[in-house]
Amino acid sequence: MQAAPSPSYKVMLVDDEPDRAEWVREFLSKAGMEVSTAPAGRTLLKHISDVTPDIILIDIESPDRDMLESLSVLSAHQPTPIVMFSEKRGTEFINAAIAAGVTAYMVGEIEPTKVKPIIDAAMAQFQAFQGVRKALDDSQEQLRERRNIEKAKLLLIQQHAMNEERAHQFLRDQAMQRRLSLGAMASTIIKKLEAADRTGVAKNE
Amino acid sequence: MNKTEIDVAYLPLVDSAPFIVAEHLGFFRRSDLRVHLHKEVSWAIVRDKLAVGSRDAAQMLAPLPAMTTLGVSGMRVPLLTGLGLSKNGNGITLSISLWHQLLRALGLPQDHLVSSANVSDVVRQAVLDARVLPRKLTFAVVHGFSTHAILLRKWLRSMGLNPDADVSMIVVPPSQMVDSLQEGVIDGYCVGEPWNTLAIDQKLGIAATWGVEVWQDAPEKVLCVTEQWHEANTNTHLALRLALLQACVWLSEPDNISEAAHIMSAERYLNIDEETLLRALSGRVVRSPDQEQEPVSELLSFHGAQTNQPGGAAAFELLDGCADLLGRPVDPVQRHLLATRCFRDDLYQQTVEALPGIR
C-alpha cells in the first residue's frame, strides 16, 4: 500500500459574505487544503458535526463566537475547538485578527506551529479581500467625482455663459475657498444650479 | 494619565440597564466622564476588544473575569471586576409542546399547574423513565462559562439528575433561542430576560423555574476591565464605578422602573417593547401563557451589598460552579488567589465610601 499523503487539515469557513468566503476558499483549496464553507447561525452546529472540521475560521464580529468558544467546555460529544489565541502570541496576534476581521479556532491535538501558516495565509487573504473591495469602492468614487465635475462645468457653461476653461477655474477657486475637494464642490454646485434651474422653469411657466 | 473619555462595551440585555440608565440620566457626565457606549454581539468580542484596548471597560458575565484570567475561556488575559452590576435575572424555559407531550405520557391533565415543583417533577420522570420520553433532552445556554450554565446544572442536580450524563447541553446565542425552541432543535434553555417571557408570550414555552428559585444571590453581570487598564486609570475606574453604582441604586427604586423600561426600549438601546421589559424589571412574570402574572421576589436585582460587592461567599460559590463546569476542582490556593485577584472587594469598598448614604 502507498504511504498516506501528508495530513492536511479540514478547514471550515463560517462567513455570511459569500463573495469573501469564496475568495478565501479558492485560495486555501489551491494551497491543498480541504475547505468547506458554512453560513453563520442556527445551522452552524449541524454543519460542524457533519463536517467535523479541524479548524474553524469565523468572522470576529459573529454572534456565533460564544457558541464556538463554549463547545470545549460544554460537552464531550462535541468537537473540542481550542482558540488560536495563546498566551505567547499575545495581543499583537489578536490585533491582527481584529484588523483582518477574522478569528480562528482549532480542534485539540493539533500543533499550533503547523496551523499557523494556514491561519496566516487565510488572514492575508481576508485582508487582501478587504483591499480589493476598498480599491473597487475607491475607483467607483473617483468615477462618480469625475462625472460630477463634468456635469457641474456643463451647467456653468449653459446657465452662466462661461467657457470650459472659465468654468473649470471657477470650480477650482470655489473648492479652494471652501476647503472642499473638487468632487464635493462640483456636487454642491450641481445642487444649487439645478434648484435655480427648476425655479427658473417655474417662473417661466 | 487617567482617561476622561472612554469606550464601554455592553450586550443589549435587560440587565444592561445600569449602563443605559447611567448614560441617559447623565450619571456618567456627573462623574466627569465622557462615555461612548458600544452595543456588541458576543462576550467573545467584548473580551477581545478589552484585551486589545479598543474598549476601556465592559459589561461581562460574572464568571468570565476569573475564567479569562485563568485562561480556560478563549484566551488568557488578566481581567478584574470592582463592581457587581446585577444579581439573578435568569430563567429556565421548557418547550410547551414537550410539556404537553409529557403530561399526556404521565396521565396528567393538560392544564396541570405550571410551578417550579410541578415542572421539576415531570422533567425528572421524563429523564429517568424511557417510557415517558425515549430520548435525551437538549438544553441550551448562552455561553459555556455563564451563570446560566451553572444554574442549569444546579437545577438538574436539585432533581437528582446528572447534568453530564442525563441531558445534552449546547450553546445558542440569545437571539436564536426562541426560534430554536420552535423548530425543536432544543427542548429548553436557560437565559436572561426577555427571552423566557418572549417564548411564553408566543405560546412556545413555559417557565420551568426562575433562577432565584434554584440559586439565591447568583452574581450575574459585572463591570470588567483589564488589570493593566485599571492600574493605568485608577481614578477613571473609580469614577466609572461611582456612576454605575448610582445607576444601580436608581434602578432599585420601584418608582423608577417604568421610566427605566421606557428608556431601555428605545431603538438605540434594546429595541424591545416596554411592557416586556417592565415585567422582568418589576419581577412580575408569567409561568405559562394560560396563567396570571405573579411576583417573584428578587427575580432580578441591581442593588444591595449582595449584588454590588463582587467578592465574598458569592464569588467562591461562583468559582465552584465554574470548577463544576470544567469537570475538575480548582486547587484551593489558586481558588483563593483567583477570588482576591479578580473579584476586588477593595475597589467596591472604595466606591461605597465615595458615595455617602449607600449601604
Side-chain angles (χ1 to χ4, degrees):
Chain A
M1 233 171 88
Q2 264 189 318
S6 60
S8 88
Y9 295 121
K10 273 194 278 182
V11 180
M12 182 186 262
L13 276 172
V14 182
D15 202 333
D16 278 336
E17 274 193 55
D19 291 351
R20 185 169 71 169
E22 188 46 35
W23 163 274
V24 180
R25 193 196 62 78
E26 207 172 288
F27 177 83
L28 292 179
S29 300
K30 276 187 196 145
M33 275 167 250
E34 191 186 332
V35 187
S36 61
T37 56
R42 268 203 307 289
T43 54
L44 182 56
L45 267 185
K46 193 177 169 341
H47 277 278
I48 292 173
S49 71
D50 290 349
V51 177
T52 60
D54 301 306
I55 300 164
I56 300 169
L57 296 174
I58 187 168
D59 183 345
I60 203 158
E61 290 274 4
S62 166
D64 291 325
R65 287 191 54 211
D66 284 342
M67 182 194 75
L68 288 180
E69 290 200 359
S70 301
L71 285 181
S72 60
V73 186
L74 271 187
S75 60
H77 40 263
Q78 297 283 1
T80 52
I82 294 166
V83 182
M84 250 326 257
F85 310 145
S86 75
E87 226 177 328
K88 286 165 220 139
R89 226 173 283 276
T91 51
E92 217 171 283
F93 175 79
I94 301 157
N95 257 329
I98 284 184
V102 63
T103 183
Y105 299 85
M106 30 175 215
V107 179
E109 310 299 314
I110 288 181
E111 266 184 63
T113 49
K114 288 188 185 150
V115 176
K116 193 174 180 304
I118 302 174
I119 306 299
D120 288 349
M123 279 190 15
Q125 279 311 103
F126 272 91
Q127 259 160 346
F129 183 77
Q130 318 282 58
V132 167
R133 189 160 52 186
K134 191 169 179 309
L136 201 65
D137 290 351
D138 287 353
S139 66
Q140 273 168 351
E141 179 60 30
Q142 278 170 8
L143 207 63
R144 193 162 48 238
E145 279 198 357
R146 213 172 305 147
R147 247 185 262 127
N148 275 347
I149 292 168
E150 289 311 313
K151 189 173 177 191
K153 281 201 283 190
L154 188 67
L155 287 172
L156 286 169
I157 292 165
Q158 287 172 343
Q159 295 189 11
H160 292 268
M162 292 182 187
N163 61 25
E164 177 160 8
E165 198 184 328
R166 175 91 183 76
H168 188 78
Q169 185 71 40
F170 178 80
L171 195 61
R172 224 176 49 194
D173 291 350
Q174 291 288 316
M176 254 152 67
Q177 265 177 31
R178 298 174 199 210
R179 295 166 194 237
L180 290 173
S181 74
L182 218 51
M185 193 61 234
S187 55
T188 311
I189 288 179
I190 292 168
K191 254 183 244 155
K192 261 195 202 148
L193 292 185
E194 280 182 343
D197 198 27
R198 268 196 301 279
T199 20
V201 171
K203 264 184 221 155
N204 289 346
E205 271 171 355
Chain B
M1 260 287 281
N2 275 274
K3 296 177 88 167
T4 53
E5 186 165 355
I6 55 173
D7 294 288
V8 176
Y10 76 102
L11 260 58
L13 306 162
V14 170
D15 53 22
S16 315
F19 292 94
I20 294 168
V21 159
E23 176 178 78
H24 197 84
L25 299 180
F27 292 125
F28 290 138
R29 215 172 36 242
R30 266 174 271 156
S31 282
D32 293 324
L33 287 175
R34 279 196 63 195
V35 172
H36 305 282
L37 286 185
H38 300 269
K39 244 197 275 192
E40 310 284 356
V41 296
S42 74
W43 299 110
I45 192 75
V46 170
R47 178 207 55 212
D48 291 352
K49 288 180 176 176
L50 268 184
V52 299
S54 67
R55 300 287 179 262
D56 297 284
Q59 175 194 35
M60 193 66 94
L61 289 168
L64 282 182
M67 292 303 103
T68 309
T69 303
L70 202 58
V72 293
S73 174
M75 68 157 114
R76 189 194 300 260
V77 194
L79 300 178
L80 62 85
T81 174
L83 185 69
L85 296 173
S86 65
K87 183 179 84 171
N88 306 333
N90 297 315
I92 297 175
T93 290
L94 191 74
S95 149
I96 204 164
S97 59
L98 176 73
W99 172 245
H100 287 139
Q101 182 193 337
L102 295 179
L103 291 177
R104 262 195 308 279
L106 289 164
L108 291 164
Q110 288 290 296
D111 60 352
H112 195 52
L113 181 75
V114 176
S115 69
S116 263
N118 284 352
V119 176
S120 286
D121 214 37
V122 167
V123 170
R124 184 195 304 110
Q125 294 184 64
V127 172
L128 294 180
D129 189 345
R131 286 167 303 177
V132 179
L133 187 75
R135 63 176 179 89
K136 243 188 195 184
L137 292 176
T138 300
F139 286 94
V141 292
V142 295
H143 195 280
F145 279 110
S146 57
T147 31
H148 316 97
I150 299 172
L151 177 67
L152 194 54
R153 295 173 71 85
K154 280 179 188 278
W155 180 62
L156 292 164
R157 285 225 170 85
S158 75
M159 293 179 233
L161 301 177
N162 176 349
D164 294 309
D166 292 338
V167 302
S168 302
M169 280 195 214
I170 61 168
V171 170
V172 172
S175 55
Q176 294 171 13
M177 286 289 186
V178 178
D179 288 343
S180 301
L181 192 75
Q182 183 168 26
E183 286 163 17
V185 180
I186 54 176
D187 299 301
Y189 54 73
C190 181
V191 69
E193 280 294 275
W195 306 107
N196 299 290
T197 291
L198 285 176
I200 296 164
D201 282 357
Q202 291 174 40
K203 298 191 195 311
L204 295 170
I206 57 158
T209 190
W210 295 100
V212 65
E213 295 169 315
V214 178
W215 180 9
Q216 301 207 330
D217 303 332
E220 183 50 42
K221 299 297 177 335
V222 298
L223 174 66
C224 182
V225 297
T226 65
E227 222 170 66
Q228 202 184 0
W229 188 89
H230 166 70
E231 273 151 28
N233 298 280
T234 47
N235 294 339
T236 310
H237 191 193
L238 176 60
L240 185 59
R241 295 198 305 279
L242 280 171
L244 286 168
L245 183 55
Q246 283 171 300
C248 288
V249 172
W250 186 86
L251 282 162
S252 71
E253 287 297 327
D255 289 350
N256 295 334
I257 290 303
S258 49
E259 189 181 345
H262 178 70
I263 296 169
M264 290 166 69
S265 68
E267 194 186 340
R268 63 179 295 225
Y269 297 125
L270 266 55
N271 199 16
I272 288 173
D273 81 283
E274 251 174 273
E275 171 57 30
T276 310
L277 292 173
L278 196 58
R279 273 197 255 165
L281 289 169
S282 64
R284 294 194 60 85
V285 283
V286 294
R287 291 179 194 266
S288 136
D290 306 320
Q291 287 172 213
E292 296 293 309
Q293 269 190 22
E294 56 181 287
V296 174
S297 173
E298 298 238 277
L299 180 86
L300 167 63
S301 142
F302 291 107
H303 175 54
Q306 293 285 4
T307 305
N308 304 126
Q309 182 181 345
F316 281 107
E317 189 174 354
L318 192 65
L319 286 177
D320 293 340
C322 292
D324 183 41
L325 284 176
L326 284 169
R328 57 181 155 91
V330 178
D331 169 74
V333 178
Q334 199 182 32
R335 176 174 176 265
H336 183 79
L337 286 177
L338 212 54
T340 46
R341 184 180 179 186
C342 302
F343 302 94
R344 295 282 299 270
D345 275 351
D346 57 325
L347 300 182
Y348 167 72
Q349 285 307 335
Q350 195 190 11
T351 320
V352 174
E353 278 156 25
L355 261 191
I358 298 290
R359 277 176 289 130

